[in-house]
Amino acid sequence: MNYISTRGLAPSLGFEDVLLAGLARDGGLYVPETWPRLEKQAIASLAGRPFAEVAVEVIQPFAGGAFSREELLAMARDAYATFGHPAVTPLVQLNSNLWVLELFHGPTLAFKDVAMQLLARLMDHVLKRRGRRATIVGATSGDTGGAAIEAFRGSKAVDVVILYPAGRVSDVQRRMMTTPRERNVHAIAIDGTFDDCQALVKGMFNDHAFRDRMQLAGVNSINWARIVAQVTYYFVAAVALGAPHRPVSFVVPTGNFGDIFAGYVARQMGLPIERLVIASNVNDILPRTVATGVYEKRGVTATTSPSMDIEVSSNFERYLFEAQGRDSALIRGQMAALAQSGRFEVKGGPELLARDFSAASASEEDVAEIIRRTRQVSGYMTEPHTACGLVAAERCLKPGSTPQVVLSTAHPAKFPDTIERILGERPQLPPRLASLMTDEERTTLLPNDLRAVESFIEQHAGAAAEQLG
Ligand SMILES: *Cc1c(COP(=O)(O)O)cnc(C)c1O
């Protein structure tokens, strides 16, 4: 399987290189040249299989021979053994037709562990095979950073450098990044927003000399392997609820468009998904785009669901490339317009978008109301990102026979202050995280400045040291 850049000016690469590259050299994102399909029978045969085995069936067609089935299965088993639930991503039924898919049983209590635990093993495997090392750089709005650090801590082949917006992540999120003591872990607080952090990471990747010197590799949701790893749970959940014999609808709290794009990939592969619903908080650039056909930046507001306080939804470019007929010149024009004037028009307009997605945004009041109501009616405690999904399910999906699955992206204990304010009770961290709130922290505060960040990384990461001596 080969991968091509959405912007059409970078060489096509195989899976291993895409795994290590992250962003393409022309600033675009890698997408598969063709979409592998699972036939109805193959989908039906996933029923009742362990999560790691389903992961192999889903990922193998995209990996194009980079790993044997046995290698892939061993890495998947190892990755998902870090989860605190035997089903890895269990479904919890809330009412006759509504389920929550709990994606938060990994080491950092957010859905990003599902992809990151596997990604780290795939990367380590490829680096070892090539006798290379790499510097992972990533931006986080809260959860990616902890998941990346947890997945790569102690790796001999990589340094992991995570930029997070100072003061804009929760205490639990910050501590997951700043308490690991391994020397290959570097948590950097940036004086800015998540979008600033993401722009810095893009800046480092576009600085080709720095990128080569430090052997940069990306693990943000622009990394194709992460998207593919997330496709697994769409299959697991849909098959448990009757696919391929009946369709299922998914509601996805999304910011960077990564998780919902994984659902789109599942659909491209043949999974019968009736509606794919984009759920956002008041940072509603995606619902506005679906309604108007115009993608337009208006600034980011801080909310109780910080992982969705985003208005540069990087993976949206992958969808645009596909839906607009794989026209890379058109994508280049739209991205140039976005950089210059903060907006662009989707070719095909709202009609095109409505064919593929529904969308709704939840206010802070909506979020608090549905967290309270869910606790009252079904006894279930949830958190603000998932709550945006529950709100979007009510607004966008008709009651009927199609099962509705809301992806639950974080454990309530990641946002204890918010939950306590809303519910009057404080969610408890699972016992395995008992020392998190008292362990010593280690972090560096840097200005929102590319040179400052690059120079810090050159001084502290192993890839440069290796080159010097
Ligand atoms: C990252 C994250 C999201 C958004 O995921 P995308 O990949 O940006 O769609 C939603 N909820 C939580 C808790 C997250 O950590």
Side-chain angles (χ1 to χ4, degrees):
M1 172 72 75
N2 272 323
Y3 291 82
I4 54 176
S5 166
T6 49
R7 303 207 188 165
L9 301 176
S12 73
L13 298 178
F15 185 80
E16 285 187 37
D17 289 306
V18 165
L19 180 69
L20 299 179
L23 206 61
R25 279 182 181 258
D26 59 3
L29 282 76
Y30 279 108
V31 291
E33 211 157 28
T34 56
W35 292 105
R37 283 185 71 85
L38 293 187
E39 296 310 321
K40 209 169 167 181
Q41 212 168 8
I43 297 173
S45 77
L46 301 176
R49 306 254 301 274
F51 192 93
E53 289 183 21
V54 177
V56 172
E57 298 304 326
V58 169
I59 296 165
Q60 184 79 13
F62 287 103
F67 310 99
S68 71
R69 288 186 85 78
E70 293 68 34
E71 287 171 334
L72 204 47
L73 183 61
M75 287 187 274
R77 282 197 176 131
D78 197 43
Y80 299 121
T82 64
F83 278 60
H85 195 290
V88 183
T89 60
L91 277 166
V92 175
Q93 189 161 13
L94 291 192
N95 67 37
S96 64
N97 209 34
L98 178 68
W99 283 262
V100 165
L101 180 61
E102 293 187 343
L103 303 175
F104 54 69
H105 293 279
T108 69
L109 308 183
F111 89 99
K112 294 188 172 72
D113 290 323
V114 180
M116 206 68 83
Q117 285 292 327
L118 183 61
L119 180 68
R121 285 159 178 86
L122 298 176
M123 276 194 174
D124 256 0
H125 190 99
V126 170
L127 288 169
K128 251 180 228 147
R129 187 188 284 168
R130 296 184 171 187
R132 274 185 50 194
R133 50 177 302 126
T135 309
I136 305 285
V137 293
T140 188
S141 56
D143 290 328
T144 305
I149 286 171
E150 194 58 48
F152 286 98
R153 64 192 287 187
S155 162
K156 294 201 168 47
V158 306
D159 276 83
V160 51
V161 180
I162 297 297
L163 312 187
Y164 66 91
R168 294 185 189 233
V169 300
S170 79
D171 287 354
V172 175
Q173 288 176 322
R174 189 190 65 250
R175 285 182 158 275
M176 283 174 166
M177 297 187 272
T178 58
T179 56
R181 307 189 65 86
E182 287 83 355
R183 291 196 48 208
N184 73 324
V185 171
H186 314 275
I188 301 177
I190 296 292
D191 191 7
T193 64
F194 167 69
D195 287 332
D196 294 331
C197 295
Q198 188 153 258
L200 287 168
V201 170
K202 282 195 178 175
M204 285 187 256
F205 274 95
N206 286 329
D207 178 349
H208 293 178
F210 180 79
R211 172 178 181 160
D212 292 339
R213 198 157 61 243
M214 298 307 299
Q215 316 212 22
L216 290 194
V219 295
N220 267 13
S221 64
I222 52 174
N223 188 299
W224 174 253
R226 256 186 75 184
I227 302 281
V228 171
Q230 290 172 205
V231 176
T232 304
Y233 49 72
Y234 284 92
F235 277 91
V236 167
V239 167
L241 296 174
H245 312 293
R246 69 169 176 175
V248 177
S249 290
F250 285 95
V251 185
V252 189
T254 199
N256 218 352
F257 210 75
D259 208 2
I260 186 112
F261 190 73
Y264 180 83
V265 172
R267 189 192 254 164
Q268 294 286 90
M269 293 177 76
L271 190 67
I273 299 179
E274 191 169 282
R275 291 310 298 165
L276 258 180
V277 181
I278 297 167
S280 78
N281 59 29
V282 291
N283 297 295
D284 62 348
I285 189 163
L286 289 166
R288 278 192 282 114
T289 305
V290 171
T292 63
V294 180
Y295 188 98
E296 186 177 31
K297 287 165 70 168
R298 288 187 185 165
V300 175
T301 307
T303 72
T304 53
S305 43
S307 296
M308 294 155 63
D309 293 346
I310 291 176
E311 64 170 359
V312 181
S313 296
S314 305
N315 280 289
F316 194 57
E317 182 170 334
R318 286 193 159 110
Y319 165 71
L320 285 176
F321 180 71
E322 203 57 46
Q324 294 178 150
R326 298 198 147 206
D327 181 346
S328 53
L330 177 60
I331 297 282
R332 290 200 299 276
Q334 288 168 324
M335 294 305 138
L338 183 64
Q340 208 167 44
S341 61
R343 72 195 293 278
F344 66 85
E345 284 176 28
V346 177
K347 185 182 157 198
E351 295 77 23
L352 175 81
L353 291 154
R355 191 191 67 193
D356 293 321
F357 304 105
S358 307
S361 72
S363 69
E364 292 291 89
E365 294 74 43
D366 295 333
V367 165
E369 191 275 329
I370 207 151
I371 287 176
R372 272 189 217 109
R373 179 151 51 88
T374 304
R375 184 68 167 156
Q376 249 163 23
V377 173
S378 53
Y380 190 74
M381 186 191 277
T382 192
E383 57 75 52
H385 303 80
T386 311
C388 293
L390 291 168
V391 169
E394 285 187 356
R395 301 230 171 110
C396 297
L397 297 176
K398 293 182 207 65
S401 60
T402 303
Q404 304 174 359
V405 180
V406 174
L407 272 50
S408 179
T409 51
H411 190 293
K414 258 194 134 160
F415 307 95
D417 298 337
T418 304
I419 303 303
E420 187 169 23
R421 188 170 47 72
I422 293 171
L423 285 181
E425 53 181 321
R426 199 166 176 84
Q428 295 300 309
L429 280 171
R432 61 198 159 103
L433 291 167
S435 70
L436 183 69
M437 301 314 286
T438 50
D439 285 347
E440 194 186 324
E441 293 190 75
R442 194 166 56 93
T443 187
T444 305
L445 178 66
L446 292 179
N448 176 18
D449 176 71
L450 184 61
R451 296 287 157 246
V453 176
E454 287 187 345
S455 119
F456 176 87
I457 295 173
E458 300 219 52
Q459 282 163 36
H460 292 89
E466 190 174 66
Q467 292 229 326
L468 291 173

